[in-house]
Amino acid sequence: LANPIMTDPELLGPAHIDATRPPDRPYQALLPPGTPDPLRGDAAPTVVARMLPLMTGAGFGACDRSVRYSFGWATALPPKLELTTDSRVAEAAGSDRADCRLRLIAYDGDKSPEAVIDSYRRLAVAAGYRITESAQGRATLLRADGPGAAAFLVVAYPAKAGGSSVDFATNRGR
């Protein structure tokens, strides 16, 4: 064990000097089998796809349907309609025009769907909005049309892990 270690003088330089070169093509992430893929068309519809069919009528008539996605839109809601602290934003989209500052938000929360709808209903009534409610399968849709063509829509449904999943749209973002 005390003998010197034998070395090869040709291997004294750095090994694999070009091992850090970039790959010849971009990396591709593999999806596990059965994972929804938007390129195949089997992923869940986006908040825009879910809400656009519901946005008919006076309040949303002037809204530009070409939106951009960014979580920043979730922070640009009117002060009375800001998300609660337990909200976990999944998607946010919006567009800005003088006549319609569209905000589309999908989020999950700890409250039940009934509690979510009730809080938006109380807020709408206090602000003088005219409200309509309807059941859409397991979901409840609340539409509020207010003064000056202001409007918002809320669709709340039970989340798989408890609480609720909410799709929200307003035409009066900040």
Side-chain angles (χ1 to χ4, degrees), residues 8 11 14-15 24-26 35 38 44 63 79 84 90-91 133 142-143 158:
D8 186 347
L11 296 177
D24 57 353
R25 61 180 176 202
T35 302
C63 290
T84 58
E91 282 182 82
E133 286 184 54
L142 172 80
R143 180 183 179 101

Side-chain angles (χ1 to χ4, degrees), residues 35-141:
T35 302
D37 182 359
L39 298 177
R40 281 195 312 255
D42 58 357
T46 64
V47 67
V48 175
R50 291 189 303 265
M51 295 301 277
L52 282 181
L54 303 174
M55 294 170 37
T56 58
F60 293 97
C63 290
D64 182 6
R65 301 302 205 259
S66 60
V67 298
R68 294 174 314 186
Y69 279 87
S70 169
F71 284 107
W73 296 112
T75 62
L77 294 172
K80 299 254 184 206
L81 296 175
E82 288 177 342
L83 301 179
T84 58
T85 55
D86 72 329
S87 301
R88 296 173 298 281
V89 176
E91 282 182 82
S95 67
D96 276 334
R97 288 182 34 179
D99 52 349
C100 180
R101 300 174 67 78
L102 183 62
R103 306 293 185 259
L104 299 158
I105 315 294
Y107 68 93
D108 293 329
D110 296 333
K111 295 181 190 175
S112 70
E114 295 81 18
V116 169
I117 292 294
D118 186 52
S119 65
Y120 281 111
R121 182 187 313 112
R122 279 188 272 131
L123 194 141
V125 168
Y129 283 67
R130 184 176 44 83
I131 60 171
T132 56
E133 286 184 54
S134 62
Q136 308 240 328
R138 295 179 39 209
T140 302
L141 167 69

Side-chain angles (χ1 to χ4, degrees), residues 132-169:
T132 56
E133 286 184 54
S134 62
Q136 308 240 328
R138 295 179 39 209
T140 302
L141 167 69
L142 172 80
R143 180 183 179 101
D145 295 299
F152 68 88
L153 291 169
V154 181
V155 180
Y157 45 96
K160 292 178 185 171
S164 60
S165 290
V166 180
D167 291 338
F168 175 82

